[in-house]
Structure formats: C-alpha cells, structure tokens
Amino acid sequence: MILKLWNDMSYQSKLLCVLYLLCIVPTACVGWIAYNQSINSLEKRVNEDLEVIIGQFNNTLEKQVEDFERYSMLPYSTEEIFDIIATPFSPRDQWGYRELTNQQRLIQLITTYPSVNSMIEGMLFYGTNGSIYGYRTSGDKSINPEYKPYEEDWFRQAIAREGGLVISGLRDEAQFNGKTFKTITIARQLIDREFNPAAVVAVDIKPAFIQKTIRSLSFKNVHVTVAGPSGAIYSTDPAIAEELLETRDEHIYPTGSPESAEAGADGKGQTGNGVSKYTASRAVSAPPSGPSRQFRLSSKVNGESRAWNGVSRYNDYTGWTTYLLVDRKELLKESASIKKITFLVLLFVFAGAALLSWLLARGLSRPIRGLIRSMSKVEMGRFEVAAAIPYERKDELGQLHYRYNRMVAHLDELINSIEDSERKKRSAELYALRARINPHFLYNTLNSIRMLALLQQSDHIAKLLQSLSKLLHSNMKMVRDLVTLEEETELLKEYVLLMELRYTNRFTVRWSVAEAALKARIPVMLLQPLLENAIFHGPRNMEQQLRISVQAELLEDNRHLRIVVEDDGQGIDPVKVMELNTSASEGELSIGVRNVRDRIRLRYGMPYGLTIQSERGQGTKATIIMPYQHGEENEDVEPAGR
C-alpha cells in the first residue's frame, strides 16, 4: 500500500518528502536531544540545589524541635513543680483552696520561665495520681476534665519510653475547654527524686513554627510539605500535599526506610493517633537520617494537570519527612528559549526544504513535462521537438533534452522520407493500374472496330474511329493523377459513343451529376471500368434494353463525394458480390472493380473505397465514396488513418 502510494506521487512530492526526511528529521532530532539535554542539566542543577536546601531546612527544623524539647525538661529545674504534681488527686468539681493554689502556682512557675517561646501554645502535666494541671497561652485556659488522653498512642508511648522523648504528628488538642486546636505535642515521662514515675509532661507547639522556618529560608517557587507517618503536618498547598502523600509509598519512600518497614498495619506507617512508630522505638534502634531522594510527581489539582520535580529526606530525630517540590513549568522556563529556537530552526528548515524542493522539482519537472508534451504530439504524428531549455544545461536532463530533440528530428526526416517513398510508390502503382486498364480498353475497342468492319462497310466505321481517336488523344494527354469530374464525364461520354456504335440500341445512359460536384477532383479513368462492366455484363438478353445511370453528388457534410453507377440488368450472384466487396475474386468482371477500389484506398486510405450491391434479376449498383477535393487544391491528399 505504501509502495503504491509512493509510486503514485508526483516527482515534486517525492522530492519534498525526501528533503523533509533529510533536513527536518535530523534537525528535529538534534533539537530534541539538545532540549532534553538542557532539561536534564537544569533538573540536575535544581535537584542539587534542592538537596542543599532540604538539608538546611531539616537542620533548622531539628534545632527548633530541640528548643521545644527543653521545655519538657523544665520540671527538673523546678522542684516545686514535682511537689504540686505529687499532691493527692481530687476531682475537678471537688477542688478546694489547695488545688486552686497549686494550679495558679504552676502557671506562675511556667510563665516566669525565661525565654518562653512564642510558638508554644500550652503545657500539660498528667500526674500518676490522676491529677491534671495545665496552662495555655491564648484562648480558654481552663482544663476540660472530660478529656482523657491516656489511651492515645503518644501518651502510651511516653509511658513506655520511661523518660524518653516522644514527638507526635499533627493532632487535635481537646484538653482545654473551648474549641479544639491543631498542635504538635512533645511529651515525656517525668521521674521524681526516688526514680519513680511522677507525671507525663506534654508541650503543645503551634504548627506555624514550620511556616516561620520556611519564611526564614526565603524559598521561592518551592512547594514544601512536612509529613509524619499519619499525614501532612504542614504544607504550602494542601491539595498538592494530599496528592503527594497518596503516592509516597510507591514513589517516594526508599525501600527499607522506616516508613516502608512500618507501613504494615494501615498502609501509611502510622500508629493510629499520629505518633511515629519509629520515633517511639527510637531509643532501641535509631538509624541515621537517610540520604535525599529525587522523584517526579504528576498531579491533578482543581482539574489542572501539573508535574513536579522533587527531593525528599527523612529525619530520624523528628520522625518527619520533608518534601521540596518545584513546578516543572517554572523549572523549564529557562529551557523555553531552546525550545523556541528549535521550533524556529525547524520552521526555517521546513520553509527552506519546501522552497528548495520547489526549485529543484521545477528545474527537473519543467524539461520533463516539455518532453511529455512533445511525446504526446509525436504519438499523434506531429514530430515537433521539445521546447528549448532557457539556458544551456550540461547535466543529464540537458543531455536527455538534446538527444531527444535530435531523435525527433531524425524521426521526422525518416517519416518524411518514408512518406515520399510511399507517395512515389503509390504513384507508380496508380500508373501501373492505369496502364493495366488501358490495354484492356484498347483491346475491346479495336475488337469492336474489327467486328464492325467485317460485318458492314458504312459510315459508322468513320464515326467509331473518330471517337476512338478522341479517346486515345485524351488518354495520352492525361499525365496527371487527378482530373475534374467534369473532365472524367466528357471522357466517359466519348466512350459511351463508341459502345453505342457496337451495341446499337442495347443500352441507354442517364447522366445525373450535381453542379457542385463537377469541380471535384478524382483519379483519372476511375469510372470507365464500372461503366464498361455494366455495358458488357449487365444485359439480360438481346431483346431488352439495358438502362444505366451515372450519379454524382456531395454528401451533407460537403466533405465527401459520392458517385453511383447503377444498371437494371441481370445482377450478380450473392457469393460473387461478397467476393467483389472483399477483393477476393478472380476473372474479367473483378479486374476493373479491384482496380477502382485499390486506386481509391491507395490514395485516400481504408475508410474510403467501392461498394457493390446486387441481386439476381434486380440489377447492380456500384457506389464510390471518397473525400471531396476541389479542383484548385493540391493533388496530394493526406491518406486517412495516418
């Protein structure tokens, strides 16, 4: 199918396709390779920058969390806090003066602690005796006695750690009356002077400290997500963070990392209430922070498809993973110029290839089309050389054009030579045919004179000899191939006069020649054989007179002449008629018929000739059709069919 389509295409289209393949495809490939190389180089540089940034960010974040951790150690520097926590527990609704005094004193101790961080939302103390004391920097500061965190993972992990640090993920704090708030809790179990568990201290930290850290590092066009095992702790775009965390197990976490190793129960590596299992067991085995991982992310946010290049790093201290993402659209802005230049080069090459192919195809196809037109004319018999090329060419097309024109010129000379030979041959044949008729005619005429002289001595002999003299004199003067129908008719009338002297009252001739046909040129002595056959072979018997008519007229198109020689004699056998019409007969009757037919066809071609129509007892009709040639025109007529 492709090969057929290729073969059906024009030379110009093929050349255009080849030039496109040779010019545009390599250029496009080079441009594409250069573009990809630039993208890869840019991505590598950006990823290296992101790895440096994420290292700085994690270190800053870790220092911030270490500062918050110091507040969980505050009771160890203030013994009075242990005394307050150790006070026997009583329900909130049964608090008396002592409990209220302890609560106020605890708040005073906390608030008077130097360098209180503004990111701390509150602190809570859960005594082993069931007491709950707490302080909040804003909002409702009263304790909600209905909320019990003892079954939460972060709390149970703090008990299990026996003084070790626990950092929760993002959680809802409901220990204070009023509306709950989002917080990150740093907790540990407090041990008294006798090394017995005294309480669990929980420091609630505002998640905004992460945003403050991001601002301090002046990130530009970088999306940041800090996630714990239970989900995002902070994100500059929650929608992107949601898409990111949905696929992090497949595309982000390295094989063997704490997240993938602990993702068994719920598929997200979490313990149900936002505490990192790894963080909880950190005292047992704490692997160092893993290396940065590079990744790509495709997301669809608000119906818009976006692609990201990113770097992630896990922090073993906090149990959090930080993700830095750069929008590829922003990333590839620097490569847009390369893409634009590549497109312009392709456009230029496309236009150049089209122009070049048009010029080449025009330079090649114009001479070829000229040769095709010349060949069409040669095919129709017009030997015309191809139009000359505007400038002399020495290439293959120039040589082809030169050789073709020489070939056509030689063919024209050869055809003219053949035509001249054929014309001479035809003239010789016509003269031979005419010479073949003349002895036959003279023999019959002289025989008639001899018979008449033997039978009777009269004045008729003088008339007969006079007519014969005129006939012979006219015949000797006819050196031309063509005569007018008027001249041919006059000659036939002299011939009829001779025949009437021989066959007295045996036949009559009626002449019906149209005035317009008299000037028509016909081969000399063309009608005499037909009239002779009618006189000699037409009569039925001696008693009945034969009627002969000679008619000539132009047909409706005025381009053809029709001559009819008809008699009402005995007719011809159908088999013989068929033979006469096919030039297959032999004998005296067919000599004249064949001569007439051959002379017409040799001169005018196969479409013209003689037709015999006859039936037994119904007479005979001989019809000649030939081109109409006016008396003043050239004798040589181009044969039909050439």
Side-chain angles (χ1 to χ4, degrees):
M1 180 64 181
I2 297 177
L3 183 60
K4 182 180 182 303
L5 182 62
W6 175 262
N7 291 333
D8 292 341
M9 291 173 63
S10 65
Y11 178 80
Q12 187 170 2
S13 299
K14 291 179 181 178
L15 184 60
L16 183 62
C17 292
V18 171
L19 286 176
Y20 280 167
L21 290 175
L22 295 179
C23 298
I24 294 180
V25 172
T27 305
C29 291
V30 171
W32 179 253
I33 292 173
Y35 178 67
N36 284 336
Q37 289 292 338
S38 68
I39 290 177
N40 293 336
S41 176
L42 183 60
E43 285 183 341
K44 183 179 179 181
R45 188 174 73 248
V46 170
N47 288 337
E48 290 174 352
D49 294 342
L50 289 178
E51 287 184 354
V52 174
I53 293 172
I54 201 171
Q56 295 175 351
F57 178 74
N58 271 5
N59 290 336
T60 303
L61 206 61
E62 186 173 337
K63 290 179 181 179
Q64 292 278 355
V65 176
E66 287 176 351
D67 288 340
F68 296 136
E69 183 184 0
R70 291 189 296 106
Y71 290 94
S72 68
M73 303 294 290
L74 176 62
Y76 291 112
S77 62
T78 309
E79 293 292 334
E80 190 177 353
I81 293 178
F82 280 92
D83 295 336
I84 295 172
I85 296 172
T87 302
F89 171 74
S90 61
R92 185 80 175 179
D93 55 356
Q94 298 178 11
W95 274 16
Y97 177 76
R98 186 185 62 177
E99 287 79 14
L100 291 175
T101 302
N102 288 339
Q103 175 71 14
Q104 292 176 359
R105 180 57 181 165
L106 182 64
I107 294 173
Q108 289 175 358
L109 291 173
I110 296 172
T111 56
T112 56
Y113 191 80
S115 303
V116 175
N117 196 306
S118 62
M119 290 293 105
I120 295 179
E121 180 67 21
M123 293 183 66
L124 289 163
F125 296 90
Y126 298 94
T128 56
N129 59 2
S131 61
I132 302 176
Y133 296 96
Y135 166 75
R136 186 180 178 186
T137 59
S138 63
D140 194 337
K141 298 178 175 59
S142 61
I143 300 297
N144 178 14
E146 301 299 327
Y147 178 69
K148 306 294 184 181
Y150 306 129
E151 297 301 323
E152 294 185 16
D153 284 344
W154 67 270
F155 192 91
R156 289 191 287 109
Q157 292 294 333
I159 298 297
R161 291 285 309 282
E162 298 178 350
L165 181 66
V166 174
I167 303 175
S168 75
L170 192 65
R171 56 181 290 270
D172 292 324
E173 181 61 82
Q175 194 63 69
F176 296 97
N177 287 319
K179 189 176 180 181
T180 61
F181 58 89
K182 296 289 184 182
T183 183
I184 300 170
T185 300
I186 296 178
R188 69 169 68 244
Q189 188 180 50
L190 297 176
I191 307 299
D192 62 14
R193 288 180 292 273
E194 297 178 358
F195 299 101
N196 293 319
V200 172
V201 60
V203 181
D204 288 337
I205 303 170
K206 298 176 183 178
F209 85 92
I210 301 177
Q211 181 180 10
K212 183 178 179 181
T213 303
I214 293 172
R215 289 177 179 174
S216 68
L217 294 175
S218 301
F219 288 158
K220 293 182 179 179
N221 300 321
V222 178
H223 169 74
V224 182
T225 293
V226 179
S230 62
I233 297 173
Y234 175 82
S235 177
T236 53
D237 191 331
I240 298 175
E242 181 180 357
E243 186 79 19
L244 173 68
L245 296 180
E246 283 181 358
T247 59
R248 65 176 177 172
D249 288 332
E250 299 177 10
H251 305 291
I252 306 301
Y253 288 145
T255 303
S257 69
E259 292 87 338
S260 61
E262 299 293 340
D266 56 6
K268 292 185 180 293
Q270 61 188 25
T271 60
N273 196 34
V275 178
S276 168
K277 289 185 177 181
Y278 170 70
T279 304
S281 59
R282 186 161 57 122
V284 180
S285 60
S289 298
S292 300
R293 293 292 304 274
Q294 299 177 3
F295 64 92
R296 288 184 182 178
L297 174 68
S298 296
S299 64
K300 195 168 187 179
V301 181
N302 298 327
E304 180 183 359
S305 297
R306 303 175 71 179
W308 307 85
N309 273 40
V311 174
S312 67
R313 178 175 290 184
Y314 177 77
N315 188 289
D316 64 325
Y317 174 74
T318 61
W320 300 341
T321 302
T322 303
Y323 303 94
L324 300 185
L325 292 89
V326 177
D327 193 335
R328 286 182 62 82
K329 186 176 181 181
E330 295 291 331
L331 175 66
L332 301 180
K333 276 186 177 180
E334 295 183 15
S335 299
S337 58
I338 298 178
K339 187 176 181 180
K340 184 177 180 180
I341 292 173
T342 302
F343 176 77
L344 291 176
V345 170
L346 284 176
L347 185 62
F348 175 77
V349 172
F350 181 87
L355 179 61
L356 182 61
S357 67
W358 181 80
L359 291 175
L360 288 176
R362 183 171 177 267
L364 293 173
S365 61
R366 282 185 64 185
I368 293 175
R369 284 196 293 267
L371 292 177
I372 293 173
R373 287 192 295 269
S374 178
M375 288 178 183
S376 300
K377 294 178 180 178
V378 170
E379 185 180 2
M380 293 186 298
R382 296 162 57 190
F383 290 85
E384 297 180 7
V385 298
I389 300 179
Y391 52 91
E392 187 176 358
R393 298 180 61 159
K394 300 297 184 182
D395 57 6
E396 290 81 356
L397 278 178
Q399 293 296 318
L400 176 63
H401 190 273
Y402 172 72
R403 296 295 178 184
Y404 174 79
N405 282 345
R406 288 194 61 184
M407 180 190 72
V408 172
H410 289 166
L411 283 176
D412 189 41
E413 293 176 1
L414 180 61
I415 293 298
N416 290 334
S417 175
I418 293 174
E419 285 183 349
D420 186 59
S421 299
E422 287 294 326
R423 189 179 298 109
K424 292 178 179 178
K425 177 182 176 182
R426 187 166 62 249
S427 298
E429 289 175 347
L430 289 175
Y431 281 115
L433 288 173
R434 190 173 66 183
R436 187 178 181 184
I437 292 174
N438 289 342
H440 181 66
F441 163 71
L442 292 175
Y443 172 78
N444 290 333
T445 304
L446 292 174
N447 187 53
S448 299
I449 295 174
R450 184 178 66 83
M451 292 298 297
L452 186 60
L454 291 175
L455 293 175
Q456 64 181 43
Q457 297 179 355
S458 66
D459 297 337
H460 292 291
I461 296 176
K463 292 181 180 179
L464 187 61
L465 289 174
Q466 184 180 11
S467 297
L468 178 59
S469 176
K470 290 181 180 179
L471 249 157
L472 290 175
H473 181 70
S474 299
N475 188 54
M476 285 186 296
K477 289 173 60 179
M478 291 180 186
V479 295
R480 297 172 296 165
D481 287 341
L482 300 177
V483 296
T484 63
L485 182 58
E486 183 177 11
E487 292 174 332
E488 180 77 2
T489 303
E490 293 297 328
L491 181 62
L492 288 179
K493 289 180 178 179
E494 295 293 338
Y495 174 75
V496 169
L497 182 59
L498 286 174
M499 293 298 101
E500 285 178 346
L501 292 173
R502 179 181 177 184
Y503 301 104
T504 305
N505 297 325
R506 293 279 302 276
F507 67 91
T508 60
V509 179
R510 182 173 62 86
W511 304 89
S512 179
V513 180
E515 184 70 23
L518 289 174
K519 298 300 181 181
R521 296 175 69 84
I522 65 173
V524 65
M525 298 291 287
L526 182 69
L527 303 181
Q528 186 271 337
L530 301 179
L531 189 58
E532 182 181 23
N533 282 340
I535 295 173
F536 288 170
H537 305 290
R540 300 182 182 181
N541 48 58
M542 299 297 292
E543 290 77 16
Q544 187 174 358
Q545 189 179 46
L546 179 70
R547 291 191 294 272
I548 303 173
S549 67
V550 178
Q551 307 171 32
E553 61 180 347
L554 297 182
L555 298 182
E556 294 179 357
D557 58 3
N558 289 329
R559 297 176 57 190
H560 295 88
L561 173 67
R562 179 168 60 191
I563 302 173
V564 178
V565 178
E566 186 176 7
D567 65 71
D568 61 351
Q570 61 181 347
I572 306 173
D573 185 80
V575 176
K576 187 65 176 178
V577 172
M578 184 178 300
E579 292 177 355
L580 290 174
N581 286 326
T582 57
S583 301
S585 63
E586 296 292 338
E588 185 180 357
L589 177 62
S590 60
I591 291 177
V593 173
R594 285 204 313 272
N595 285 341
V596 172
R597 180 186 296 108
D598 291 344
R599 291 173 68 191
I600 294 174
R601 289 185 175 177
L602 281 171
R603 177 170 291 277
Y604 302 113
M606 291 302 295
Y608 308 103
L610 170 65
T611 303
I612 303 297
Q613 295 173 293
S614 179
E615 294 183 11
R616 278 294 182 184
Q618 301 297 324
T620 302
K621 181 179 180 181
T623 304
I624 294 174
I625 300 294
M626 66 176 66
Y628 171 66
Q629 185 180 2
H630 194 268
E632 298 178 356
E633 294 179 357
N634 195 321
E635 288 185 355
D636 296 327
V637 177
E638 188 74 16
R642 178 179 176 263

